Amino acid sequence: MPRLKLKTFDGSGIQFELTITPMRDLLLDILTQSASPEAVSWLRETLRDQEREFKKRPFYYAFSGVSRHFDKRARITATESQLAGLEARTPGFTVREWDQFRLARVILLILLGEQKRDVFLETIKSLLNTADLREQSAIYSAYSLLPHSEDLVESAIDGLRSNIVDIFDSIALNNPFPAAHFTDAAWNQMVLKALFISRPLYRIEGLDLRKNDDLALAISYLAHERWAAGRRIPAEAWRNCVGFVSEEISNDLHHLLETGEPTDREAAALVLASDGEPRLADLRGRLEGEIDAIGSGTLSWERLGEKLEFPVTLNGSPAKP
Amino acid sequence: MRFLDSHVHMVSRTTDDYQRMAASGVTAIIEPSFWQGQPRTEPGTFKDYFNTLIGFERFRASQFGIKHYCTIGLNPKEANNEKLAEAVMELLPLYICKEGVVGIGEIGFDDQTRAEEKFLRLQAQLALEANLPIQIHTPHRDKKVGTIRTMDVLEDVGVAPGKVIIDHNNEETVKAVLDRGYWAAFTIYPHTKLGNERLVEILREYGAERIIVDSAADWGISDALAVPKTAALLKDRGISLDRIEQVTYRNPLAAYEQSGQISERDWEGSEGIDPTSLFEGNTILRGGMDVETAMSQYLIE
């Protein structure tokens, strides 16, 4: 399957058709495996009606009415080859951990994306303006599959201002949209907020591609603030400093060895492993065990992230920005 | 013991209330759309209010382990601003099919004007179309006449009484409401509505079938613990635990389950509260933050 990116779509209908139809069909196949036959046939019928003639009001009803047909407790199951198919069509996009509501709504949104630009933008705006929590998450999850990305960026940034973890996650985690479309300033705010509300950085798509000088510095300042208050900074944060180890940050790395926290040492070693700065030579000597673990593959940013990940529960601790 | 408070305006309550409710066994709540004290002047403020009910308030409740549902509607007081009311009617279809919306409410009469009747009828029709239960607010003034008039209007539109919960009943209205096949809810609200001792007598006279107890706690002097406190009083006065559970949990659940949007499965596995610890005197606030406890924890971390 060719790697066609929707965000490059600029009005050429042929390219659009080729890309979008298989994605919607693939997602519908995945949903069919998980959901009841009645629910799926309701959705297929709705899609057929809306394909014939797009009507806004019935579309609104269908979008919220997903909750009346599908099972909110049921998770989606996709085969490895289906997941690979999603990755081939839109790199970074996945339906892992999704529930039926989200997938059914994303399929409807892809159909919405096939409408004229003004109809699409107007409809998605009013959906977002009246959306409940799961609906908002579904809308943001679909962003990387929708056209006119440049018109969606502001609303994604606005969504990240939410205090509600599930909404923040639907944009920031396992979603290729921010890395592809955010400015550095917006990207940096997202990563910093993820740290503030204890979200797992390793699940942010494109983290290593979008790191930058300003972000590395902001991480360092945040660490100083936390340390002054006798608090900690999640070890994953230092991943954003790889390749940007200034004098100041190299001092921070030294400090990481003093915290007594094994994950801090591991983070320092991971930064060192990909940085040839000679002034860090003495640190290497003090982190031999960790550096060996990197060499043998038992330590990586992914592994560290998984280890640190806060379990996601509905009744988790309140998120404060 | 678990409680379902089917009428409580949480947007007006603090986290202290949520903590105490959770500690007292309130497992699920239904928040009706209502007047917010300050009359609204724009349809957009209704939209944001509805968004709060299906959004942030639901999230806030979940932080305390409480499942939050709502009913969506145009309240009778603001139905009198007809131009605004028309605009709100345009908004309602966007919300009524949403997850966790268990009815149209709270609607009914306030001043019993022509405009109020018009919007009661329109919303009753909407409930029929969406196959949703209706939560009825009965008026403070001229309550008996207003309650009977409400039932007349609903039956005229073709609504089945079994899908309607009539709230804020008292000794004067309960008989007619039950006789005509409706659910009769009693709001335990200090001073202006019903004290819970009166409810003991009502239960002795009418039994527990189709009777519901709620708090209607809001921005006035009201009690977010009215349901668990009433349960404790009923136990004290010799009403059986089964009957208490019926009016504080099973009946409201059965009434609103007709929406297909609320089910015991939603909170299955959540921790129940030990009824014996609940009913022993003042342990009702155990786990909550009373003043003494709050002040004893003076270290702010």
Side-chain angles (χ1 to χ4, degrees), chain A residues 51-69:
Chain A
E51 267 168 2
R52 259 197 300 276
E53 189 190 356
F54 180 79
K55 286 189 185 144
K56 219 182 259 184
R57 193 118 174 178
F59 187 83
Y60 289 144
Y61 284 147
F63 188 75
S64 54
V66 160
S67 66
R68 293 184 161 206
H69 297 273

Side-chain angles (χ1 to χ4, degrees), chain A residues 239-256:
Chain A
R239 185 170 179 176
N240 295 290
C241 298
V242 171
F244 299 97
V245 182
S246 60
E247 180 106 36
E248 199 159 13
I249 292 174
S250 91
N251 290 337
D252 294 340
L253 296 180
H254 279 89
H255 184 89
L256 288 179

Side-chain angles (χ1 to χ4, degrees), chain B residues 197-254:
Chain B
E197 288 204 289
R198 284 159 63 192
L199 186 77
V200 179
E201 294 313 314
I202 290 169
L203 286 183
R204 285 193 176 130
E205 187 165 350
Y206 295 96
E209 197 185 331
R210 278 184 285 119
I211 286 186
I212 292 169
V213 179
D214 62 53
S215 73
D218 57 9
W219 32 258
I221 298 173
S222 44
D223 195 337
L225 296 183
V227 174
K229 281 183 180 175
T230 300
L233 178 80
L234 295 177
K235 168 91 175 0
D236 197 44
R237 298 298 162 86
I239 307 278
S240 73
L241 273 181
D242 180 66
R243 192 163 270 195
I244 295 169
E245 190 188 71
Q246 193 176 352
V247 297
T248 58
Y249 182 79
R250 294 201 309 268
N251 279 351
L253 181 59

Side-chain angles (χ1 to χ4, degrees), chain A residues 59-164:
Chain A
F59 187 83
Y60 289 144
Y61 284 147
F63 188 75
S64 54
V66 160
S67 66
R68 293 184 161 206
H69 297 273
F70 289 90
D71 180 356
K72 67 178 165 192
R73 293 166 198 88
R75 297 268 145 188
I76 293 301
T77 49
T79 63
E80 285 305 317
S81 88
Q82 284 169 330
L83 290 170
L86 298 176
E87 174 70 27
R89 283 162 178 81
T90 304
F93 176 81
T94 181
V95 296
R96 271 184 217 275
E97 302 294 312
W98 282 24
D99 59 26
Q100 294 182 1
F101 281 18
R102 185 180 298 207
L103 184 51
R105 285 180 173 137
V106 166
I107 291 168
L108 284 165
L109 290 169
I110 295 175
L111 178 130
L112 180 62
E114 294 162 18
Q115 311 310 314
K116 288 198 188 89
R117 181 173 178 274
D118 56 336
V119 173
F120 166 70
L121 290 175
E122 202 182 294
T123 310
I124 201 156
K125 186 177 172 197
S126 49
L127 284 177
L128 205 49
N129 278 346
T130 57
D132 69 20
L133 304 181
R134 285 179 197 256
E135 289 172 339
Q136 284 184 62
S137 298
I139 294 170
Y140 293 129
S141 301
Y143 269 20
S144 63
L145 309 181
L146 299 177
H148 313 298
S149 307
E150 66 286 358
D151 295 300
L152 303 177
V153 173
E154 269 312 309
S155 62
I157 292 171
D158 201 43
L160 289 168
R161 296 189 181 108
S162 171
N163 270 11
I164 300 172

Side-chain angles (χ1 to χ4, degrees), chain B residues 280-292:
Chain B
E280 275 167 15
N282 57 12
T283 56
I284 198 158
L285 294 184
R286 204 167 65 165
M289 286 290 240
D290 57 34
V291 176
E292 210 180 332

Side-chain angles (χ1 to χ4, degrees), chain A residues 156 160 171-172 175-183 187 190 204-205 210:
Chain A
L160 289 168
I171 304 164
N175 188 340
F177 188 84
H181 301 288
F182 278 17
T183 60
W187 176 264
M190 181 180 87
I204 297 180
E205 279 300 321
R210 291 299 309 265

Side-chain angles (χ1 to χ4, degrees), chain B residues 39-46 74 78 81-89 119:
Chain B
R40 282 167 280 214
T41 57
E42 301 288 340
T45 58
F46 272 92
L74 167 70
E78 287 173 297
N81 182 344
E82 267 197 80
K83 204 174 154 213
L84 182 62
E86 295 284 1
V88 175
M89 289 302 299
F119 291 105

